[in-house]
Amino acid sequence: MRFTQIDPSKIDTKDKRFQISPCFPVDSLIPSIKKTGILNPPVLTKREGKYVVVSGWRRIFACIQLSIPSIPVFVMQETKDLEAFNVPLFENLTIRDYTQIEKAAVIGKLHGFGESPENIIKKYLPLLKALPRREIMDVYIKIDQLSESIKETAHKKKWPFGTLELMTEWNEKERQVLFPYVKELSLNKQKELIESLFDISRKRDVSIQNILSSGEFIKVHKDDSLSPVQKAEKIHSLARTERYPSLSTWKNAFKKISQNMDLPEEIAVIPSKFFEDEVISIRLEVKNKKDLEKYIDKLKELSSKKEISLLFDPFSND
Amino acid sequence: MIKPHTQIKRIFIEKGSFKYPLARKVLKNLGSVPVEVISGEEEVIEKYNLLKDPVAEGKKALLLKPLKGDFVKPCPCTPHYLGCNYYIINTDLNCPMDCTYCILQHYLDNPVMVSHVNTDNLWEQLDGFLFKHRSRFIRIGTGELGDSLALDDITGRSKEFIAYFREKAKVNFELKTKTVNTDNILCEKPADNIIIAWSLNTELMAEKEEKGAPAVKNRIEAAFEVQSRGFRVAFHFDPLILYEGWEQDYRDVIDRLFTRINPSGIAWISIGSLRFPKPLKTLIRKRFPSTKIIYEEMVRGKDGKLRYFKPLRIKLYREIVRAIRSYGGKKVPLYFCMESNEIWRKILDKEPGSKEEVEAFLSLLPRFKAT
């Protein structure tokens, strides 16, 4: 490894063969470089006569943005990409956890550099805190092949492995239809939306384009009064209703019965999760003993109503 | 019918296991199948983790090794639902058949079929276990983490188990299978406390979702032969699966069952619906891309597993129980596997307070006299 000074604009930053992160926010680094310069020189190597980045992408982009004419760098003599790639891989591992997108990039690059599947599974997956199994390696390779826009969002928002795995099971066209909605949702809802649409699609043998361009879905899609987040929330809710029709019917029936009971807002009746248990919960909010007595009387009055038994089985009258 | 063991293309044997008579017997019965000596099970797990579909590949291999822990364990059942106090004997693990819904794909760390060859320890442990529980009835069987008869023609375990248990009056011993591998059973003298059981489904589900398993009509024929020999039989409608046309298909199989089988010789029929832990859904989706059974309306139950939304289960169970009762099984004892008290009450009009009560209900039934 040779230490030298170099004009950062002469580095071929389009060559991303050793790049692990899909994007490099440099804003937080700029004040530090302005004040103290580069304390930890980036590592470069030469390929086809050009300098390419091995590690230190953020530092290099920050220096280019600051138009610094010359920066200190280490230049590796290593000619094998696989060997050179160990530098950024281990450097980053010692300082932070990789996102799933970065892990996928590591596996994808090792695979591309000709590392054997056996070594990737046995040596590298445990380093990345992943199970040493072929199926896991295969999923990471597919995640690495997702579009740049999906990878960037998934990296920034730290999407979990399960969500990304589901994304890989769609084709690229389907992913592009789905992505504008998915990216607006919270992590849990993202997974629920992807999984619900996937299940509906597989069950009915229809494409996601067909699902999203039919019925209520298309109305939401075309409704310009809704913000992207509102659209995504509505699509999520519609997908859940279609995926779980009986559960949705029960939920609505339960809600209607409790509304008809005209409960004060201090009393709430709550079904068990997915109605799996027979028990319903009654939540009572009181400020003092007087309130408590008042609402206990109210509960007694409610228990004598006919509708109360319907809460335990919303369709028992059918 | 092709014997399930014929798909074994590779044998692993743990170093030091040649001394066990069962290991030598299996090696002899498998003849020309290549044998590899290994230092430990981990070696096999590591090897199969490198494969694209370790579960499918594991079904083509058999590992012979001694079991270092306990052969007899309480059936794990599932939290928050009613169990039946069953005990399982873990002699052979995994199975050559490849059912879409099989929990073993997810439950077992080792995808390879395993035969525990230290049978001396097995009998010692069973003696100790039965002595410890001598004051109560025991229901015990081998078909929980593997098929009881799938490898029986190379291990001959069924003969040994029948010989061991036939004199144990307070034990109901069950061999549970999907196969028609009953040659050894048919050579044995029946006993009241030995029960041979079959898992049943509709013909369509067997064909589409139980790869490598015999057609249901053949399973019923095997049960008929075994019952004709004088053994008590049992059936497990588990997992019941919802799909378009399920009502008529289940009625057809129940009709066929009672046309061939004498209901008074049925020890019990268990009923359970499709359920599995969430991670298994991902595995099923990948291993069986054309299946649709995982896309029905399943929600998380109290145990965290995915199961049909309760009103759908109730409808399913009502239909099955109605069919069993009306096609000839009026007095056949029925029980639920991994269900709630509410389901027991609503469908069977019984509400056992505990797994001990379920066990008592199933163990103390009057026994069918072998003829």
Side-chain angles (χ1 to χ4, degrees):
Chain A
M1 196 108 67
R2 182 169 56 91
F3 180 70
T4 185
Q5 289 284 131
I6 192 171
D7 175 355
S9 65
K10 292 203 170 133
I11 300 168
D12 180 8
T13 53
K14 282 188 185 129
D15 189 326
K16 295 177 178 174
R17 72 181 77 193
F18 301 117
Q19 180 183 327
I20 293 174
S21 299
C23 51
F24 304 100
V26 295
D27 291 357
S28 60
L29 201 56
I30 284 179
S32 141
I33 291 179
K34 265 187 185 168
K35 196 168 179 186
T36 58
I38 296 267
L39 298 176
N40 179 21
V43 180
L44 310 179
T45 190
K46 271 199 158 179
R47 293 288 185 269
E48 291 95 42
K50 289 179 182 169
Y51 285 110
V52 300
V53 185
V54 175
S55 79
W57 288 87
R58 284 178 73 218
R59 281 161 279 167
I60 289 165
F61 281 126
C63 290
I64 292 172
Q65 205 168 312
L66 289 167
S67 304
I68 295 173
S70 174
I71 61 167
V73 294
F74 287 110
V75 178
M76 278 181 87
Q77 309 302 319
E78 179 58 60
T79 55
K80 288 182 189 147
D81 286 348
L82 183 57
E83 294 302 318
F85 185 58
N86 278 312
V87 171
L89 169 58
F90 285 95
E91 187 184 29
N92 288 329
L93 267 179
T94 55
I95 50 175
R96 66 186 173 86
D97 282 335
Y98 281 125
T99 66
Q100 296 299 339
I101 293 296
E102 289 172 318
K103 289 181 186 183
V106 169
I107 300 301
K109 287 185 190 297
L110 288 168
H111 181 68
F113 293 148
E115 184 57 286
S116 69
E118 188 170 346
N119 269 350
I120 295 176
I121 295 163
K122 285 185 178 173
K123 190 174 146 192
Y124 291 99
L125 284 178
L127 274 177
L128 299 170
K129 298 177 190 166
L131 287 174
R133 291 186 183 163
R134 172 73 185 241
E135 69 211 66
I136 302 289
M137 180 191 81
D138 290 345
V139 173
Y140 274 124
I141 290 172
K142 284 186 192 165
I143 292 173
D144 192 43
Q145 289 160 358
L146 293 172
S147 72
E148 293 306 314
S149 57
I150 293 177
K151 282 199 284 188
E152 206 175 310
T153 304
H155 170 70
K156 283 180 187 162
K157 292 195 175 174
K158 295 191 174 150
W159 287 14
F161 182 81
T163 305
L164 288 160
E165 185 179 24
L166 279 167
M167 281 302 257
T168 65
E169 292 181 34
W170 298 101
N171 64 39
E172 186 54 34
K173 254 187 184 171
E174 289 175 315
R175 279 196 289 268
Q176 291 310 326
V177 174
L178 193 61
F179 182 58
Y181 302 116
V182 173
K183 70 175 184 179
E184 302 294 342
L185 295 168
S186 65
L187 293 180
N188 278 346
K189 285 188 174 175
Q190 282 176 348
K191 196 169 181 206
E192 284 175 358
L193 174 62
I194 300 171
E195 195 159 26
S196 298
L197 289 174
F198 188 90
D199 289 358
I200 298 167
S201 152
R202 286 289 172 96
K203 188 179 175 186
R204 297 185 199 157
D205 280 327
V206 291
S207 70
I208 182 161
Q209 290 94 327
N210 276 341
I211 299 168
L212 292 179
S213 60
S214 63
E216 292 298 310
F217 287 103
I218 191 71
K219 284 186 198 161
V220 173
H221 180 70
K222 287 184 173 170
D223 188 344
D224 292 335
S225 68
L226 298 171
S227 71
V229 177
Q230 287 171 322
K231 276 190 185 184
E233 292 284 349
K234 284 205 174 239
I235 294 285
H236 168 267
S237 168
L238 285 173
R240 298 288 286 173
T241 306
E242 281 215 17
R243 175 67 185 87
Y244 300 101
S246 308
L247 175 64
S248 303
T249 310
W250 268 64
K251 273 184 179 169
N252 289 338
F254 188 91
K255 198 173 157 190
K256 205 172 158 191
I257 295 161
S258 55
Q259 278 169 350
N260 288 346
M261 290 176 76
D262 208 15
L263 297 167
E265 62 182 36
E266 287 80 3
I267 298 176
V269 284
I270 305 152
S272 62
K273 201 165 186 195
F274 303 122
F275 299 91
E276 182 61 22
D277 221 324
E278 286 182 282
V279 176
I280 59 166
S281 310
I282 295 178
R283 199 185 64 212
L284 179 60
E285 285 177 14
V286 289
K287 284 191 284 239
N288 49 43
K289 188 169 175 279
K290 200 178 149 195
D291 265 9
L292 180 64
E293 285 163 357
K294 180 177 138 191
Y295 290 119
I296 284 177
D297 286 342
K298 180 74 184 167
L299 280 173
K300 274 186 189 162
E301 185 194 313
L302 284 171
S303 67
S304 63
K305 284 191 174 180
K306 191 179 78 181
E307 293 93 324
I308 197 92
S309 58
L310 282 176
L311 285 174
F312 296 93
D313 187 354
F315 294 100
S316 56
N317 275 358
D318 290 359
Chain B
M1 188 60 60
I2 301 166
K3 298 279 187 189
H5 78 260
T6 54
Q7 72 183 57
I8 298 172
K9 303 293 177 219
R10 195 171 188 186
I11 302 169
F12 297 103
I13 182 161
E14 199 171 277
K15 202 170 56 187
S17 300
F18 286 101
K19 67 180 179 196
Y20 297 107
L22 179 59
R24 293 199 297 271
K25 180 180 182 179
V26 171
L27 290 172
K28 188 179 163 212
N29 284 335
L30 286 174
S32 59
V33 177
V35 179
E36 188 180 329
V37 181
I38 53 150
S39 55
E41 190 172 17
E42 281 305 312
E43 204 180 314
V44 175
I45 296 174
E46 213 171 82
K47 212 182 272 263
Y48 277 73
N49 276 345
L50 298 176
L51 304 175
K52 267 190 181 298
D53 187 350
V55 178
E57 294 302 320
K59 292 178 182 299
K60 298 176 200 159
L62 176 65
L63 167 62
L64 302 171
K65 67 180 261 298
L67 176 67
K68 295 191 177 78
D70 297 335
F71 275 99
V72 184
K73 288 185 174 165
C75 179
C77 194
T78 200
H80 308 294
Y81 291 88
L82 197 55
C84 63
N85 236 7
Y86 194 76
Y87 282 88
I88 56 177
I89 309 172
N90 294 328
T91 40
D92 297 323
L93 309 183
N94 225 321
C95 168
M97 288 163 274
D98 199 6
C99 301
T100 309
Y101 50 76
C102 181
I103 180 70
L104 301 181
Q105 301 172 87
H106 166 76
Y107 190 76
L108 298 173
D109 291 331
N110 181 0
V112 165
M113 289 187 287
V114 177
S115 200
H116 291 128
V117 289
N118 50 331
T119 38
D120 285 355
N121 296 107
L122 165 67
W123 308 127
E124 266 172 39
Q125 285 186 25
L126 272 170
D127 286 344
F129 170 81
L130 294 178
F131 182 75
K132 190 177 159 194
H133 297 283
R134 62 192 177 282
S135 59
R136 54 171 278 200
F137 279 94
I138 295 284
R139 286 170 63 246
I140 193 167
T142 58
E144 199 66 23
L145 299 183
D147 185 287
S148 299
L149 299 180
L151 302 180
D152 199 48
D153 43 339
I154 55 168
T155 64
R157 282 204 202 267
S158 67
K159 288 164 107 61
E160 294 188 26
F161 273 124
I162 292 171
Y164 178 85
F165 280 110
R166 73 162 64 253
E167 302 303 330
K168 312 281 193 274
K170 287 174 97 170
V171 179
N172 276 322
F173 173 70
E174 182 182 35
L175 290 163
K176 204 190 299 183
T177 189
K178 281 194 183 96
T179 72
V180 294
N181 224 5
T182 51
D183 292 353
N184 286 335
I185 307 280
L186 294 172
C187 293
E188 291 299 302
K189 197 176 146 217
D192 280 353
N193 65 331
I194 307 293
I195 294 133
I196 318 298
W198 276 265
S199 295
L200 298 181
N201 220 309
T202 63
E203 288 292 1
L204 184 69
M205 285 301 102
E207 189 193 324
K208 287 173 82 168
E209 314 292 353
E210 296 178 345
K211 194 173 148 195
V216 175
K217 63 177 184 192
N218 295 341
R219 295 179 216 175
I220 293 173
E221 277 313 297
F224 170 74
E225 284 180 12
V226 165
Q227 190 181 56
S228 303
R229 174 82 179 113
F231 283 96
R232 285 204 296 165
V233 292
F235 299 96
H236 298 276
F237 280 98
D238 193 358
L240 293 168
I241 297 172
L242 286 173
Y243 61 93
E244 212 181 316
W246 64 268
E247 293 98 327
Q248 188 55 49
D249 288 358
Y250 278 112
R251 278 196 289 269
D252 288 348
V253 74
I254 291 166
D255 187 16
R256 180 186 284 272
L257 176 68
F258 288 107
T259 305
R260 284 306 265 166
I261 304 294
N262 174 0
S264 67
I266 299 177
W268 50 69
I269 293 178
S270 82
I271 302 168
S273 58
L274 183 64
R275 61 207 174 275
F276 47 79
K278 186 82 195 280
L280 184 59
K281 187 177 173 186
T282 310
L283 193 62
I284 293 173
R285 212 170 52 219
K286 289 183 179 177
R287 295 200 62 238
F288 303 95
S290 62
T291 190
K292 294 203 187 293
I293 63 171
I294 53 175
Y295 304 123
E296 284 302 322
E297 200 168 347
M298 301 181 90
V299 295
R300 272 188 201 270
K302 288 183 275 184
D303 53 358
K305 288 179 189 162
L306 294 176
R307 47 179 70 217
Y308 295 130
F309 180 46
K310 192 173 72 187
L312 303 178
R313 300 209 303 280
I314 289 176
K315 187 179 175 201
L316 176 61
Y317 294 146
R318 277 211 173 110
E319 195 57 43
I320 298 299
V321 170
R322 189 180 299 138
I324 291 173
R325 294 305 187 214
S326 61
Y327 285 117
K330 203 168 182 180
K331 290 180 182 166
V332 173
L334 303 181
Y335 73 97
F336 284 111
C337 186
M338 301 186 196
E339 268 301 352
S340 62
N341 266 305
E342 181 192 357
I343 297 283
W344 274 80
R345 189 182 67 244
K346 286 184 172 163
I347 309 296
L348 296 179
D349 203 21
K350 280 189 181 73
E351 191 161 4
S354 65
K355 59 183 181 180
E356 287 76 17
E357 283 184 39
V358 178
E359 181 200 69
F361 157 64
L362 292 167
S363 297
L364 300 174
L365 294 162
R367 286 176 181 168
F368 166 74
K369 288 286 168 201
T371 49

